[in-house]
Amino acid sequence: MSTPLTFIDFYKADHRSQYPKGTTTVFSNWTPRKSRIDDIDSVVFFGLQYFVKEYLIRRWNRDFFEQPKADVVNRYARRMRNAGINIEVDHIEDLHDLGYLPVEIRALPEGSEVPIGVPMFVLWNTVPEFFWITNYLETSLSSIIWGPSTSATIARKYRRILDHWVEATGGDPDFVDWQGHDFSYRGMYGSEAAMLSGGGHLLSFTGTDTVPAIDFLEDFYGADSDRELVGGSVPATEHSVMCMGTKENETETFHRLITELYPSGIVSIVSDTWDYWKVWTDYLPELREEILGRDGVVTIRPDSGDPVKILVGDPDAPEGSPEHKGSYELAWEVFGGTINDKGFKVLDPHINLIYGDSITPERCEAICAGVAAKGFVPKNVFGIGSYTYQHNTRDTFGFAMKATAGVVDGELREIFKDPATDDGTKRSARGLLAVSVNDAGELELEEQTTWGRVHNCAFEPVFVDGELVRDETLSEIRARLQGA
């Protein structure tokens, strides 16, 4: 059985003896220090409640405090000893005897957009002899929380792009909830990463194919899919389905899907298994009346090529060719639509598009701008995959947990680092930290403050001595983010 005692980097194990004698408090913070994504200067805070419930409470209780002391202590001692880390374990025995994690965490509300350089939360030990536990938690805490916050921030970027273009072209603002669809599960680094990232995605959208993300939000964030739309999807094909129907009978496969299996509602059909352009010039015109007669939407899914050229058109292709026209023009030629009050073409509601291959925020922007330039409302769905959500690290937003203050022999010591060889990213804040809201409604860091300010600022208690003291719901977090 694993134990949260070993959810550490090895060097954490003996920091207890390295702190000055007389140390009784270590005060730390969690802060995004730098953005490596253009035009993002604030980060969505998300994931702490999961870490508290799953790790600080369930795993610490189940796998440490509720286990026989000798078993967990001996297991820990063996792991350290066999790795060459020879330390005493009296402090581990004392922690087990205490029976709970003596830590307090105060945090901003989840779903807050937090400026770069402003702490999302602070934490410290509540029992003097366990000063070492604060930063002992850094490794596991960091490994869990940077991911969902990063994905939630990038999803927010997509949301702002799509909100802008629906406003600019007079589209349906309610559809944007579905326009960003999470396709990332299979490309994520394990199922926990997928559900954490998928939960972050669902703060800004409702479209997802990552089923565990919905379970995650129900289990840890008070969501209830019986009473609210947590996340949803539609029936959709994959290439194996289309291939099994054979190339010669692809039209029949389309016909069976839209008339027999899904005579109503939404169905998404991957359409580039062989010749995507032939689907538009031959198959869909043949099926036009069946599609227009359905009570629902047939969504065509290209899955290869340059996303911008496939949807908007390739200006370098022969004029008049399907490639030159692109998917929107072809859809308009076959199915038509309407002109809205802003003068933009809106595809007939029985037909739509979804593209989920190698989508990025930059491509999303280019597609929306290109579609609008051709006079259409950009209503296609974007399948947002691991190309977006997995190609990130803790350094994407410079997340770090660092100690900034401590108490030694009853004296508060302000601690900080400012490496001369660094560009300023790793310079830490100094002393006790608080966060305030300025007259413009923006969050601001207060350094070198007092315990009174720490307890009376924008931070709220979340975890105190083994107990969760603030339990936020998905609906509250969504509302907070959407109101930002």
Side-chain angles (χ1 to χ4, degrees), residues 28-48:
S28 292
N29 75 102
W30 173 257
T31 299
R33 300 174 298 177
K34 181 178 182 178
S35 175
R36 288 174 170 81
I37 299 180
D38 292 341
D39 73 16
I40 292 183
D41 56 11
S42 61
V43 182
V44 178
F45 175 33
F46 181 62
L48 176 61

mmCIF file with all atom_site columns, all heavy atoms in Angstrom, residues 28-48:
data_model
loop_
_atom_site.group_PDB
_atom_site.id
_atom_site.type_symbol
_atom_site.label_atom_id
_atom_site.label_alt_id
_atom_site.label_comp_id
_atom_site.label_asym_id
_atom_site.label_entity_id
_atom_site.label_seq_id
_atom_site.pdbx_PDB_ins_code
_atom_site.Cartn_x
_atom_site.Cartn_y
_atom_site.Cartn_z
_atom_site.occupancy
_atom_site.B_iso_or_equiv
_atom_site.pdbx_formal_charge
_atom_site.auth_seq_id
_atom_site.auth_comp_id
_atom_site.auth_asym_id
_atom_site.auth_atom_id
_atom_site.pdbx_PDB_model_num
ATOM 1   N N   . SER A 1 28 ? 3.886   29.254 3.762   1.00 0.00 ? 28 SER A N   1
ATOM 2   C CA  . SER A 1 28 ? 4.166   29.150 2.335   1.00 0.00 ? 28 SER A CA  1
ATOM 3   C C   . SER A 1 28 ? 2.985   29.621 1.505   1.00 0.00 ? 28 SER A C   1
ATOM 4   O O   . SER A 1 28 ? 1.874   29.818 2.022   1.00 0.00 ? 28 SER A O   1
ATOM 5   C CB  . SER A 1 28 ? 4.522   27.703 1.963   1.00 0.00 ? 28 SER A CB  1
ATOM 6   O OG  . SER A 1 28 ? 5.759   27.320 2.520   1.00 0.00 ? 28 SER A OG  1
ATOM 7   N N   . ASN A 1 29 ? 3.238   29.783 0.206   1.00 0.00 ? 29 ASN A N   1
ATOM 8   C CA  . ASN A 1 29 ? 2.182   30.231 -0.697  1.00 0.00 ? 29 ASN A CA  1
ATOM 9   C C   . ASN A 1 29 ? 2.266   29.489 -2.018  1.00 0.00 ? 29 ASN A C   1
ATOM 10  O O   . ASN A 1 29 ? 3.304   28.919 -2.380  1.00 0.00 ? 29 ASN A O   1
ATOM 11  C CB  . ASN A 1 29 ? 2.304   31.737 -0.940  1.00 0.00 ? 29 ASN A CB  1
ATOM 12  C CG  . ASN A 1 29 ? 3.442   32.086 -1.877  1.00 0.00 ? 29 ASN A CG  1
ATOM 13  O OD1 . ASN A 1 29 ? 3.231   32.359 -3.057  1.00 0.00 ? 29 ASN A OD1 1
ATOM 14  N ND2 . ASN A 1 29 ? 4.682   32.083 -1.359  1.00 0.00 ? 29 ASN A ND2 1
ATOM 15  N N   . TRP A 1 30 ? 1.163   29.518 -2.775  1.00 0.00 ? 30 TRP A N   1
ATOM 16  C CA  . TRP A 1 30 ? 1.095   28.918 -4.112  1.00 0.00 ? 30 TRP A CA  1
ATOM 17  C C   . TRP A 1 30 ? 0.742   30.033 -5.091  1.00 0.00 ? 30 TRP A C   1
ATOM 18  O O   . TRP A 1 30 ? -0.301  30.662 -4.977  1.00 0.00 ? 30 TRP A O   1
ATOM 19  C CB  . TRP A 1 30 ? 0.038   27.828 -4.137  1.00 0.00 ? 30 TRP A CB  1
ATOM 20  C CG  . TRP A 1 30 ? -0.243  27.236 -5.494  1.00 0.00 ? 30 TRP A CG  1
ATOM 21  C CD1 . TRP A 1 30 ? -1.308  27.509 -6.291  1.00 0.00 ? 30 TRP A CD1 1
ATOM 22  C CD2 . TRP A 1 30 ? 0.540   26.268 -6.199  1.00 0.00 ? 30 TRP A CD2 1
ATOM 23  N NE1 . TRP A 1 30 ? -1.239  26.786 -7.454  1.00 0.00 ? 30 TRP A NE1 1
ATOM 24  C CE2 . TRP A 1 30 ? -0.110  26.002 -7.424  1.00 0.00 ? 30 TRP A CE2 1
ATOM 25  C CE3 . TRP A 1 30 ? 1.745   25.610 -5.915  1.00 0.00 ? 30 TRP A CE3 1
ATOM 26  C CZ2 . TRP A 1 30 ? 0.385   25.096 -8.359  1.00 0.00 ? 30 TRP A CZ2 1
ATOM 27  C CZ3 . TRP A 1 30 ? 2.241   24.700 -6.855  1.00 0.00 ? 30 TRP A CZ3 1
ATOM 28  C CH2 . TRP A 1 30 ? 1.570   24.453 -8.048  1.00 0.00 ? 30 TRP A CH2 1
ATOM 29  N N   . THR A 1 31 ? 1.648   30.274 -6.048  1.00 0.00 ? 31 THR A N   1
ATOM 30  C CA  . THR A 1 31 ? 1.516   31.443 -6.917  1.00 0.00 ? 31 THR A CA  1
ATOM 31  C C   . THR A 1 31 ? 1.903   31.113 -8.350  1.00 0.00 ? 31 THR A C   1
ATOM 32  O O   . THR A 1 31 ? 2.931   30.455 -8.577  1.00 0.00 ? 31 THR A O   1
ATOM 33  C CB  . THR A 1 31 ? 2.419   32.585 -6.408  1.00 0.00 ? 31 THR A CB  1
ATOM 34  O OG1 . THR A 1 31 ? 2.029   32.956 -5.087  1.00 0.00 ? 31 THR A OG1 1
ATOM 35  C CG2 . THR A 1 31 ? 2.343   33.808 -7.314  1.00 0.00 ? 31 THR A CG2 1
ATOM 36  N N   . PRO A 1 32 ? 1.135   31.592 -9.345  1.00 0.00 ? 32 PRO A N   1
ATOM 37  C CA  . PRO A 1 32 ? 1.606   31.564 -10.731 1.00 0.00 ? 32 PRO A CA  1
ATOM 38  C C   . PRO A 1 32 ? 2.547   32.743 -10.946 1.00 0.00 ? 32 PRO A C   1
ATOM 39  O O   . PRO A 1 32 ? 2.165   33.902 -10.769 1.00 0.00 ? 32 PRO A O   1
ATOM 40  C CB  . PRO A 1 32 ? 0.312   31.718 -11.548 1.00 0.00 ? 32 PRO A CB  1
ATOM 41  C CG  . PRO A 1 32 ? -0.608  32.480 -10.653 1.00 0.00 ? 32 PRO A CG  1
ATOM 42  C CD  . PRO A 1 32 ? -0.241  32.131 -9.234  1.00 0.00 ? 32 PRO A CD  1
ATOM 43  N N   . ARG A 1 33 ? 3.781   32.471 -11.330 1.00 0.00 ? 33 ARG A N   1
ATOM 44  C CA  . ARG A 1 33 ? 4.795   33.523 -11.336 1.00 0.00 ? 33 ARG A CA  1
ATOM 45  C C   . ARG A 1 33 ? 5.056   34.138 -12.708 1.00 0.00 ? 33 ARG A C   1
ATOM 46  O O   . ARG A 1 33 ? 5.590   35.241 -12.796 1.00 0.00 ? 33 ARG A O   1
ATOM 47  C CB  . ARG A 1 33 ? 6.124   32.968 -10.783 1.00 0.00 ? 33 ARG A CB  1
ATOM 48  C CG  . ARG A 1 33 ? 6.039   32.452 -9.362  1.00 0.00 ? 33 ARG A CG  1
ATOM 49  C CD  . ARG A 1 33 ? 7.344   31.796 -8.944  1.00 0.00 ? 33 ARG A CD  1
ATOM 50  N NE  . ARG A 1 33 ? 7.641   30.627 -9.776  1.00 0.00 ? 33 ARG A NE  1
ATOM 51  C CZ  . ARG A 1 33 ? 8.754   29.893 -9.657  1.00 0.00 ? 33 ARG A CZ  1
ATOM 52  N NH1 . ARG A 1 33 ? 9.666   30.220 -8.773  1.00 0.00 ? 33 ARG A NH1 1
ATOM 53  N NH2 . ARG A 1 33 ? 8.952   28.845 -10.438 1.00 0.00 ? 33 ARG A NH2 1
ATOM 54  N N   . LYS A 1 34 ? 4.694   33.417 -13.780 1.00 0.00 ? 34 LYS A N   1
ATOM 55  C CA  . LYS A 1 34 ? 5.021   33.920 -15.113 1.00 0.00 ? 34 LYS A CA  1
ATOM 56  C C   . LYS A 1 34 ? 4.133   33.231 -16.141 1.00 0.00 ? 34 LYS A C   1
ATOM 57  O O   . LYS A 1 34 ? 3.897   32.025 -16.049 1.00 0.00 ? 34 LYS A O   1
ATOM 58  C CB  . LYS A 1 34 ? 6.495   33.650 -15.440 1.00 0.00 ? 34 LYS A CB  1
ATOM 59  C CG  . LYS A 1 34 ? 6.946   34.163 -16.798 1.00 0.00 ? 34 LYS A CG  1
ATOM 60  C CD  . LYS A 1 34 ? 8.433   33.898 -16.995 1.00 0.00 ? 34 LYS A CD  1
ATOM 61  C CE  . LYS A 1 34 ? 8.927   34.444 -18.323 1.00 0.00 ? 34 LYS A CE  1
ATOM 62  N NZ  . LYS A 1 34 ? 10.392  34.231 -18.508 1.00 0.00 ? 34 LYS A NZ  1
ATOM 63  N N   . SER A 1 35 ? 3.655   33.982 -17.119 1.00 0.00 ? 35 SER A N   1
ATOM 64  C CA  . SER A 1 35 ? 2.877   33.396 -18.206 1.00 0.00 ? 35 SER A CA  1
ATOM 65  C C   . SER A 1 35 ? 3.753   33.219 -19.430 1.00 0.00 ? 35 SER A C   1
ATOM 66  O O   . SER A 1 35 ? 4.417   34.154 -19.882 1.00 0.00 ? 35 SER A O   1
ATOM 67  C CB  . SER A 1 35 ? 1.677   34.269 -18.563 1.00 0.00 ? 35 SER A CB  1
ATOM 68  O OG  . SER A 1 35 ? 0.996   33.733 -19.701 1.00 0.00 ? 35 SER A OG  1
ATOM 69  N N   . ARG A 1 36 ? 3.727   32.019 -19.976 1.00 0.00 ? 36 ARG A N   1
ATOM 70  C CA  . ARG A 1 36 ? 4.443   31.741 -21.213 1.00 0.00 ? 36 ARG A CA  1
ATOM 71  C C   . ARG A 1 36 ? 3.486   31.618 -22.399 1.00 0.00 ? 36 ARG A C   1
ATOM 72  O O   . ARG A 1 36 ? 3.861   31.080 -23.439 1.00 0.00 ? 36 ARG A O   1
ATOM 73  C CB  . ARG A 1 36 ? 5.280   30.468 -21.052 1.00 0.00 ? 36 ARG A CB  1
ATOM 74  C CG  . ARG A 1 36 ? 6.496   30.689 -20.146 1.00 0.00 ? 36 ARG A CG  1
ATOM 75  C CD  . ARG A 1 36 ? 7.246   29.404 -19.865 1.00 0.00 ? 36 ARG A CD  1
ATOM 76  N NE  . ARG A 1 36 ? 8.518   29.666 -19.217 1.00 0.00 ? 36 ARG A NE  1
ATOM 77  C CZ  . ARG A 1 36 ? 8.693   29.903 -17.925 1.00 0.00 ? 36 ARG A CZ  1
ATOM 78  N NH1 . ARG A 1 36 ? 7.638   29.918 -17.133 1.00 0.00 ? 36 ARG A NH1 1
ATOM 79  N NH2 . ARG A 1 36 ? 9.891   30.141 -17.417 1.00 0.00 ? 36 ARG A NH2 1
ATOM 80  N N   . ILE A 1 37 ? 2.266   32.088 -22.214 1.00 0.00 ? 37 ILE A N   1
ATOM 81  C CA  . ILE A 1 37 ? 1.295   32.133 -23.301 1.00 0.00 ? 37 ILE A CA  1
ATOM 82  C C   . ILE A 1 37 ? 0.937   33.589 -23.558 1.00 0.00 ? 37 ILE A C   1
ATOM 83  O O   . ILE A 1 37 ? 0.534   34.314 -22.640 1.00 0.00 ? 37 ILE A O   1
ATOM 84  C CB  . ILE A 1 37 ? 0.018   31.329 -22.962 1.00 0.00 ? 37 ILE A CB  1
ATOM 85  C CG1 . ILE A 1 37 ? 0.371   29.844 -22.731 1.00 0.00 ? 37 ILE A CG1 1
ATOM 86  C CG2 . ILE A 1 37 ? -1.007  31.453 -24.075 1.00 0.00 ? 37 ILE A CG2 1
ATOM 87  C CD1 . ILE A 1 37 ? -0.818  28.983 -22.390 1.00 0.00 ? 37 ILE A CD1 1
ATOM 88  N N   . ASP A 1 38 ? 1.114   33.992 -24.793 1.00 0.00 ? 38 ASP A N   1
ATOM 89  C CA  . ASP A 1 38 ? 0.826   35.383 -25.153 1.00 0.00 ? 38 ASP A CA  1
ATOM 90  C C   . ASP A 1 38 ? -0.598  35.759 -24.787 1.00 0.00 ? 38 ASP A C   1
ATOM 91  O O   . ASP A 1 38 ? -1.521  34.971 -24.947 1.00 0.00 ? 38 ASP A O   1
ATOM 92  C CB  . ASP A 1 38 ? 1.045   35.598 -26.654 1.00 0.00 ? 38 ASP A CB  1
ATOM 93  C CG  . ASP A 1 38 ? 2.502   35.496 -27.050 1.00 0.00 ? 38 ASP A CG  1
ATOM 94  O OD1 . ASP A 1 38 ? 3.354   35.621 -26.149 1.00 0.00 ? 38 ASP A OD1 1
ATOM 95  O OD2 . ASP A 1 38 ? 2.782   35.271 -28.240 1.00 0.00 ? 38 ASP A OD2 1
ATOM 96  N N   . ASP A 1 39 ? -0.787  36.952 -24.343 1.00 0.00 ? 39 ASP A N   1
ATOM 97  C CA  . ASP A 1 39 ? -2.047  37.609 -23.987 1.00 0.00 ? 39 ASP A CA  1
ATOM 98  C C   . ASP A 1 39 ? -2.791  36.952 -22.827 1.00 0.00 ? 39 ASP A C   1
ATOM 99  O O   . ASP A 1 39 ? -3.954  37.227 -22.592 1.00 0.00 ? 39 ASP A O   1
ATOM 100 C CB  . ASP A 1 39 ? -2.974  37.788 -25.200 1.00 0.00 ? 39 ASP A CB  1
ATOM 101 C CG  . ASP A 1 39 ? -3.641  36.514 -25.716 1.00 0.00 ? 39 ASP A CG  1
ATOM 102 O OD1 . ASP A 1 39 ? -3.678  35.496 -25.009 1.00 0.00 ? 39 ASP A OD1 1
ATOM 103 O OD2 . ASP A 1 39 ? -4.148  36.555 -26.859 1.00 0.00 ? 39 ASP A OD2 1
ATOM 104 N N   . ILE A 1 40 ? -2.141  36.078 -22.074 1.00 0.00 ? 40 ILE A N   1
ATOM 105 C CA  . ILE A 1 40 ? -2.717  35.577 -20.821 1.00 0.00 ? 40 ILE A CA  1
ATOM 106 C C   . ILE A 1 40 ? -1.903  36.157 -19.673 1.00 0.00 ? 40 ILE A C   1
ATOM 107 O O   . ILE A 1 40 ? -0.709  35.881 -19.548 1.00 0.00 ? 40 ILE A O   1
ATOM 108 C CB  . ILE A 1 40 ? -2.726  34.041 -20.745 1.00 0.00 ? 40 ILE A CB  1
ATOM 109 C CG1 . ILE A 1 40 ? -3.707  33.457 -21.761 1.00 0.00 ? 40 ILE A CG1 1
ATOM 110 C CG2 . ILE A 1 40 ? -3.101  33.584 -19.329 1.00 0.00 ? 40 ILE A CG2 1
ATOM 111 C CD1 . ILE A 1 40 ? -3.835  31.943 -21.696 1.00 0.00 ? 40 ILE A CD1 1
ATOM 112 N N   . ASP A 1 41 ? -2.525  36.987 -18.861 1.00 0.00 ? 41 ASP A N   1
ATOM 113 C CA  . ASP A 1 41 ? -1.824  37.581 -17.719 1.00 0.00 ? 41 ASP A CA  1
ATOM 114 C C   . ASP A 1 41 ? -2.520  37.278 -16.395 1.00 0.00 ? 41 ASP A C   1
ATOM 115 O O   . ASP A 1 41 ? -2.165  37.841 -15.358 1.00 0.00 ? 41 ASP A O   1
ATOM 116 C CB  . ASP A 1 41 ? -1.662  39.086 -17.900 1.00 0.00 ? 41 ASP A CB  1
ATOM 117 C CG  . ASP A 1 41 ? -2.990  39.805 -18.136 1.00 0.00 ? 41 ASP A CG  1
ATOM 118 O OD1 . ASP A 1 41 ? -4.052  39.172 -17.949 1.00 0.00 ? 41 ASP A OD1 1
ATOM 119 O OD2 . ASP A 1 41 ? -2.961  40.995 -18.507 1.00 0.00 ? 41 ASP A OD2 1
ATOM 120 N N   . SER A 1 42 ? -3.517  36.397 -16.440 1.00 0.00 ? 42 SER A N   1
ATOM 121 C CA  . SER A 1 42 ? -4.146  35.925 -15.202 1.00 0.00 ? 42 SER A CA  1
ATOM 122 C C   . SER A 1 42 ? -4.522  34.461 -15.391 1.00 0.00 ? 42 SER A C   1
ATOM 123 O O   . SER A 1 42 ? -4.746  34.003 -16.517 1.00 0.00 ? 42 SER A O   1
ATOM 124 C CB  . SER A 1 42 ? -5.386  36.760 -14.863 1.00 0.00 ? 42 SER A CB  1
ATOM 125 O OG  . SER A 1 42 ? -6.360  36.656 -15.878 1.00 0.00 ? 42 SER A OG  1
ATOM 126 N N   . VAL A 1 43 ? -4.581  33.733 -14.291 1.00 0.00 ? 43 VAL A N   1
ATOM 127 C CA  . VAL A 1 43 ? -4.744  32.285 -14.328 1.00 0.00 ? 43 VAL A CA  1
ATOM 128 C C   . VAL A 1 43 ? -5.982  31.894 -13.534 1.00 0.00 ? 43 VAL A C   1
ATOM 129 O O   . VAL A 1 43 ? -6.226  32.428 -12.442 1.00 0.00 ? 43 VAL A O   1
ATOM 130 C CB  . VAL A 1 43 ? -3.498  31.586 -13.736 1.00 0.00 ? 43 VAL A CB  1
ATOM 131 C CG1 . VAL A 1 43 ? -3.629  30.077 -13.800 1.00 0.00 ? 43 VAL A CG1 1
ATOM 132 C CG2 . VAL A 1 43 ? -2.239  32.039 -14.482 1.00 0.00 ? 43 VAL A CG2 1
ATOM 133 N N   . VAL A 1 44 ? -6.764  30.970 -14.066 1.00 0.00 ? 44 VAL A N   1
ATOM 134 C CA  . VAL A 1 44 ? -7.953  30.492 -13.370 1.00 0.00 ? 44 VAL A CA  1
ATOM 135 C C   . VAL A 1 44 ? -7.531  29.530 -12.260 1.00 0.00 ? 44 VAL A C   1
ATOM 136 O O   . VAL A 1 44 ? -6.822  28.548 -12.505 1.00 0.00 ? 44 VAL A O   1
ATOM 137 C CB  . VAL A 1 44 ? -8.917  29.787 -14.343 1.00 0.00 ? 44 VAL A CB  1
ATOM 138 C CG1 . VAL A 1 44 ? -10.133 29.241 -13.580 1.00 0.00 ? 44 VAL A CG1 1
ATOM 139 C CG2 . VAL A 1 44 ? -9.366  30.751 -15.444 1.00 0.00 ? 44 VAL A CG2 1
ATOM 140 N N   . PHE A 1 45 ? -7.956  29.802 -11.047 1.00 0.00 ? 45 PHE A N   1
ATOM 141 C CA  . PHE A 1 45 ? -7.641  28.960 -9.890  1.00 0.00 ? 45 PHE A CA  1
ATOM 142 C C   . PHE A 1 45 ? -8.643  27.812 -9.814  1.00 0.00 ? 45 PHE A C   1
ATOM 143 O O   . PHE A 1 45 ? -9.848  28.038 -9.694  1.00 0.00 ? 45 PHE A O   1
ATOM 144 C CB  . PHE A 1 45 ? -7.688  29.818 -8.630  1.00 0.00 ? 45 PHE A CB  1
ATOM 145 C CG  . PHE A 1 45 ? -7.497  29.049 -7.341  1.00 0.00 ? 45 PHE A CG  1
ATOM 146 C CD1 . PHE A 1 45 ? -6.679  27.939 -7.277  1.00 0.00 ? 45 PHE A CD1 1
ATOM 147 C CD2 . PHE A 1 45 ? -8.137  29.469 -6.178  1.00 0.00 ? 45 PHE A CD2 1
ATOM 148 C CE1 . PHE A 1 45 ? -6.495  27.244 -6.093  1.00 0.00 ? 45 PHE A CE1 1
ATOM 149 C CE2 . PHE A 1 45 ? -7.969  28.784 -4.981  1.00 0.00 ? 45 PHE A CE2 1
ATOM 150 C CZ  . PHE A 1 45 ? -7.144  27.669 -4.943  1.00 0.00 ? 45 PHE A CZ  1
ATOM 151 N N   . PHE A 1 46 ? -8.125  26.575 -9.879  1.00 0.00 ? 46 PHE A N   1
ATOM 152 C CA  . PHE A 1 46 ? -9.006  25.410 -9.816  1.00 0.00 ? 46 PHE A CA  1
ATOM 153 C C   . PHE A 1 46 ? -8.210  24.173 -9.426  1.00 0.00 ? 46 PHE A C   1
ATOM 154 O O   . PHE A 1 46 ? -7.097  23.976 -9.894  1.00 0.00 ? 46 PHE A O   1
ATOM 155 C CB  . PHE A 1 46 ? -9.672  25.183 -11.176 1.00 0.00 ? 46 PHE A CB  1
ATOM 156 C CG  . PHE A 1 46 ? -10.620 24.014 -11.212 1.00 0.00 ? 46 PHE A CG  1
ATOM 157 C CD1 . PHE A 1 46 ? -11.749 23.984 -10.398 1.00 0.00 ? 46 PHE A CD1 1
ATOM 158 C CD2 . PHE A 1 46 ? -10.383 22.947 -12.061 1.00 0.00 ? 46 PHE A CD2 1
ATOM 159 C CE1 . PHE A 1 46 ? -12.625 22.905 -10.436 1.00 0.00 ? 46 PHE A CE1 1
ATOM 160 C CE2 . PHE A 1 46 ? -11.256 21.859 -12.106 1.00 0.00 ? 46 PHE A CE2 1
ATOM 161 C CZ  . PHE A 1 46 ? -12.368 21.849 -11.296 1.00 0.00 ? 46 PHE A CZ  1
ATOM 162 N N   . GLY A 1 47 ? -8.782  23.346 -8.543  1.00 0.00 ? 47 GLY A N   1
ATOM 163 C CA  . GLY A 1 47 ? -8.201  22.061 -8.207  1.00 0.00 ? 47 GLY A CA  1
ATOM 164 C C   . GLY A 1 47 ? -7.869  21.849 -6.755  1.00 0.00 ? 47 GLY A C   1
ATOM 165 O O   . GLY A 1 47 ? -7.642  20.716 -6.316  1.00 0.00 ? 47 GLY A O   1
ATOM 166 N N   . LEU A 1 48 ? -7.805  22.927 -5.950  1.00 0.00 ? 48 LEU A N   1
ATOM 167 C CA  . LEU A 1 48 ? -7.417  22.771 -4.545  1.00 0.00 ? 48 LEU A CA  1
ATOM 168 C C   . LEU A 1 48 ? -8.410  21.887 -3.791  1.00 0.00 ? 48 LEU A C   1
ATOM 169 O O   . LEU A 1 48 ? -8.013  21.035 -2.982  1.00 0.00 ? 48 LEU A O   1
ATOM 170 C CB  . LEU A 1 48 ? -7.311  24.136 -3.870  1.00 0.00 ? 48 LEU A CB  1
ATOM 171 C CG  . LEU A 1 48 ? -7.004  24.110 -2.368  1.00 0.00 ? 48 LEU A CG  1
ATOM 172 C CD1 . LEU A 1 48 ? -5.660  23.451 -2.093  1.00 0.00 ? 48 LEU A CD1 1
ATOM 173 C CD2 . LEU A 1 48 ? -7.053  25.515 -1.770  1.00 0.00 ? 48 LEU A CD2 1
#
